[in-house]
Amino acid sequence: MHIVVCIKQVPDSAQIRVHPVTNTIMRQGVPAIINPFDLFAIEEALQLKDRYGARVTVLTMGPPQAEVALRKAVAYGADEMVLLTDRAFAGADTLATSYALAQAIRKLGEEEPVDLVLTGKQTIDGDTAQVGPGIARRLDLQLLTYVSAITDLDPGGKTIEVQRRSEGGVQVIRTRLPALVTVLEGGSTIRFATMPNMFRAERQPVQQWNREQAGIDDVGKIGLKGSPTVVSKIFTPRAGNRRAKMIGAEMGSAGEVASAVLDLLGSEHPRFARELGLAAP
Amino acid sequence: MTDSNPTAPSKARGKKRLELDPRLAAYRGVWVFVEIERGQVHPVSWELMGEGRKLADVLQVELGAVILGADGARLGEVAAEAFTYGADRAYLVADPVLADYRNQPYTRALTDLVNRHQPEILLLGATTLGRDLAGSVATTLLTGLTADCTELAIDPDNRGLLATRPTFGGSLLCTIQTLNFRPQMATVRPRVMAMPDAQPGRTGQVTQETLDLAEEDILAKVLAFIPDQNQEKAQLAYADIIVAGGRGMGRAENFQVLWDLAGVIGAEVGGSRPVTHAGWISAERQIGQSGKTVRPRLYIAAGISGAVQHRVGMESSDIILAINNDPNAPIFDFATYGIVGDAMQIVPALTEALRSRLAVRRRAG
């Protein structure tokens, strides 16, 4: 079985701060990480590998330094790394990105047919959740988004059964391979990298593919040219800062603090407090 | 990438006077996809209908509601409701293969409708269903799709949709346009747009369409649907009170104090990204840029530092009570009330205080 995991290297948005005076982004020192949602896709691939045996290829598109993310995935246990990197890919929106990744997956399938494509449910920098569905559509893969568990997989019979989150419940779906699964977070614990894999991750060469090597002839379908959307304006959100009213710095017990909070709610938000049943009897 | 002042007139780089291909100029009208799961319309659909109405009025075009499902009678009822929220026309496709949401038949039904009737704008809710469907439809139609918009407007110069959304985890906003492709697609999260008032008695036209797809042609089969049990029924987006925990709660077991507090005041429990990733609470309870957007009347944040990507998902809350042991935590910059202290002491104390006051109240009543 051949599994391709699509990952992305992103800036750690938890560490991005907006400068309080100039209202600009402070990017200095913000580390680049594997998109946290993609870690669950890597883990799922490795669990499937443990269970059924599989060749796991990690694929990313990005600048040359994105190979750090691929090596990290190999340290966890992935087998091979492909980095799509070419200036022609720059400025791609989700439609153009899904085209480039789909072409690369098609190319990977020439060596060994791809049964399953896994990816995180979304990235933390773009947050669109659109690239997964886009790849599936372009390769005519069965699309299974927000999957919390792959409950059954038959590599020989080419079937897969999953539980996927939908509004108000969990859908149990059975379908055919090849499929693209976007993996929901939190379903499993990310394993630790092992020493042998860490050594392998350092030494193993990354396959770097430019546009031609990825099998892309039409530059009109990738990068800025292949993107139907354009960013026309970027601005900082209105700073609606209101420094919180601080309670209880001088008070002793937690009970007194709690009491003070409820008193404040009662006096400053009487209607809400009354509806909650808090107003003094 | 440069930052500009939001109050200054936009000196847009990407903006061009749009000479639409006549083939694309034929696309007219604003559509909203009405999301129905197990007979229930998701409220986000009506929130979008209110927003779609405004766009349609500016463009002076029809507002269409797309209603897909298996039960024709039910779809008719939903259409009638869509008219009260502002739709001028409902496009109905009733077919047994549309009974449960599945990507393939829904993608097919929606793309067929778009190709036949050619709307210039298509809006969907950014729910699990809406995102699954929108990504597939946009790729099939090879058009632009902007996710999680927080503001929609029309460019007076070219009738184009100006779709504004947070980026960089909410640190910046960007306005995105789809210039030479139609329809212009966008998704909006639940609770981002206001719920419009229904206008009883308002009516519209119904257009019935059919779907040329047999069950045998659909590979995916729904074997079961497991409805959320009470514990898991995270009606987070629409909750009046939310108790949310972050990494500052220390460990998974400590979340019990949040559940206890929530139980006493009838709240939902949520969390920040790190704690859903750690598995301390389930993923659908994540609040923030990569989770859900909420706007409760009271939001209690325990052990949450208030990074911008969390902030964008909850800052519209009426009252924010923040508990954090770091006096410099950014959450104190936008909370209503702040307590510097250990959440593991403050939260149980709050639960106790509430329990006793509510009990007094009940005895008095």
Side-chain angles (χ1 to χ4, degrees), chain A residues 264-279, chain B residues 240-241 297 318-319 361:
Chain A
L264 256 181
L265 271 181
S267 60
E268 296 191 355
H269 305 275
R271 187 162 157 233
F272 175 68
R274 200 163 50 243
E275 286 173 22
L276 193 62
L278 263 190
Chain B
D240 265 348
I241 306 176
R297 296 175 73 186
D318 291 349
I319 308 166
R361 168 83 178 172

Side-chain angles (χ1 to χ4, degrees), chain B residues 2 13 23-24 26 28 30 41 50 64 68 79 90 98 159 194 202 205 234 241 262 275 291 337 348 351:
Chain B
T2 57
R13 279 153 290 161
R23 202 170 43 82
L24 298 174
R28 302 282 283 187
V30 178
V41 177
L68 312 179
L98 299 171
R159 290 176 65 88
R202 195 178 175 285
Q205 308 281 318
I241 306 176
V275 307
Y337 303 118
T351 308

Side-chain angles (χ1 to χ4, degrees), chain A residues 48-68:
Chain A
L48 292 173
K49 180 184 172 181
D50 293 344
R51 232 188 302 167
Y52 303 101
R55 166 179 171 190
V56 176
T57 305
V58 275
L59 168 67
T60 194
M61 181 169 100
Q65 55 270 33
E67 76 164 66
V68 176

Side-chain angles (χ1 to χ4, degrees), chain A residues 19-35:
Chain A
H19 193 280
V21 177
T22 60
N23 249 1
T24 52
I25 285 233
M26 301 194 292
R27 273 193 263 186
Q28 301 91 312
V30 175
I33 54 172
I34 295 182
N35 170 41

Side-chain angles (χ1 to χ4, degrees), chain B residues 24-306:
Chain B
L24 298 174
Y27 282 72
R28 302 282 283 187
V30 178
W31 278 14
V32 172
F33 172 78
V34 178
E35 178 173 334
I36 307 176
E37 278 216 272
R38 276 162 306 287
Q40 296 299 309
V41 177
H42 196 294
V44 72
S45 305
W46 304 145
E47 294 162 12
L48 282 177
M49 204 63 80
E51 208 55 28
R53 184 69 263 167
K54 293 179 208 162
L55 300 177
D57 287 344
V58 173
L59 292 167
Q60 298 185 305
V61 293
E62 245 182 29
L63 176 63
V66 178
I67 304 173
L68 312 179
D71 175 1
R74 177 65 190 135
L75 300 192
E77 292 166 16
V78 173
E81 205 178 350
F83 298 142
T84 70
Y85 285 111
D88 300 309
R89 183 180 294 276
Y91 296 88
L92 264 50
V93 183
D95 192 295
V97 302
L98 299 171
D100 288 300
Y101 175 74
R102 286 179 292 176
N103 179 268
Q104 187 191 347
Y106 271 71
T107 299
R108 176 69 182 282
L110 186 52
T111 43
D112 281 359
L113 279 178
V114 167
N115 285 330
R116 209 169 301 149
H117 298 281
Q118 307 196 325
E120 59 200 293
I121 293 173
L122 172 57
L123 308 177
L124 299 93
T127 58
T128 52
L129 189 163
R131 285 176 164 224
D132 185 280
L133 180 60
S136 301
V137 170
T139 310
T140 311
L141 295 168
L142 297 176
T143 191
L145 166 60
T146 307
D148 286 357
C149 300
T150 51
E151 203 185 313
L152 298 172
I154 299 296
D155 186 335
D157 291 342
N158 60 20
R159 290 176 65 88
L161 178 68
L162 299 167
T164 299
R165 73 182 306 263
T167 184
F168 273 105
S171 313
L172 292 173
L173 292 172
C174 61
T175 301
I176 293 177
Q177 284 181 277
T178 295
L179 292 177
N180 291 309
F181 301 85
R182 292 291 180 273
Q184 306 159 89
M185 293 179 60
T187 65
V188 177
R189 288 187 188 193
R191 290 300 250 165
V192 167
M193 302 299 180
M195 177 67 96
D197 292 324
Q199 301 165 52
R202 195 178 175 285
T203 60
Q205 308 281 318
V206 173
T207 300
Q208 300 266 6
E209 294 285 358
T210 53
L211 177 62
D212 178 24
L213 192 62
E215 183 58 45
E216 306 85 81
D217 301 331
I218 303 167
L219 296 175
K221 306 295 174 195
V222 178
L223 303 184
F225 183 83
I226 308 160
D228 292 329
Q229 291 155 11
N230 274 346
Q231 268 270 313
E232 289 301 305
K233 194 182 274 176
Q235 289 306 330
L236 211 50
Y238 292 89
D240 265 348
I241 306 176
I242 291 171
V243 180
R247 202 161 15 193
M249 291 302 295
R251 52 205 171 99
E253 302 79 65
N254 291 351
F255 261 64
Q256 190 53 47
V257 303
L258 303 181
W259 288 102
D260 293 344
L261 173 57
V264 170
I265 47 173
E268 282 290 345
V269 175
S272 62
R273 195 179 76 213
V275 307
T276 50
H277 280 201
W280 295 2
I281 56 165
S282 56
E284 66 271 18
R285 292 185 183 275
Q286 189 198 327
I287 295 164
Q289 173 61 17
S290 51
K292 290 197 161 66
T293 298
V294 300
R295 50 198 318 177
R297 296 175 73 186
L298 174 61
Y299 189 91
I300 301 174
I304 292 178
S305 66

Side-chain angles (χ1 to χ4, degrees), chain A residues 12 41 51-52 67 72-73 77 83-84 87 91 111 119 125 144 160 165 169 192-194 224 240 264 280:
Chain A
D12 186 354
R51 232 188 302 167
Y52 303 101
E67 76 164 66
K72 179 98 190 173
L83 171 63
L84 277 188
R87 281 174 189 277
E111 296 170 35
T119 188
D125 59 345
L144 300 162
I160 183 171
R165 171 121 295 272
F192 289 102
T194 62
L224 206 55
L264 256 181

Side-chain angles (χ1 to χ4, degrees), chain A residues 8 26 37 41 43 50 60 69 71 80 90 103 109 161-162 165 167 169 197 200 208 234 237 261-262 272:
Chain A
K8 187 180 182 188
M26 301 194 292
F37 292 104
E43 177 59 34
D50 293 344
T60 194
R71 291 191 188 279
E80 278 155 58
Q103 287 300 102
E161 189 180 308
V162 302
R165 171 121 295 272
E167 302 294 313
N197 280 336
R200 190 167 57 86
Q208 286 211 12
I234 292 179
V261 169
L262 298 188
F272 175 68

Side-chain angles (χ1 to χ4, degrees), chain A residues 126-127 137 145-146 165 167 170-172 174 230 232-235 242-245 247 263 268 275, chain B residues 4 101 131-132 140 165 173 175 177 221 223-224 226 228 289 297 332-334 336-338 357:
Chain A
D127 278 306
R137 200 68 214 85
T145 51
Y146 304 103
R165 171 121 295 272
E167 302 294 313
V170 172
Q171 233 184 6
V172 182
R174 187 171 192 84
V230 296
S232 62
K233 190 172 125 186
I234 292 179
F235 54 102
R242 48 172 183 186
R243 182 71 193 170
K245 186 178 277 190
I247 305 160
D263 290 343
E268 296 191 355
E275 286 173 22
Chain B
S4 63
Y101 175 74
R131 285 176 164 224
D132 185 280
T140 311
R165 73 182 306 263
L173 292 172
T175 301
Q177 284 181 277
K221 306 295 174 195
L223 303 184
I226 308 160
D228 292 329
Q289 173 61 17
R297 296 175 73 186
F332 293 128
D333 291 331
F334 58 95
T336 325
Y337 303 118
R357 290 203 197 188

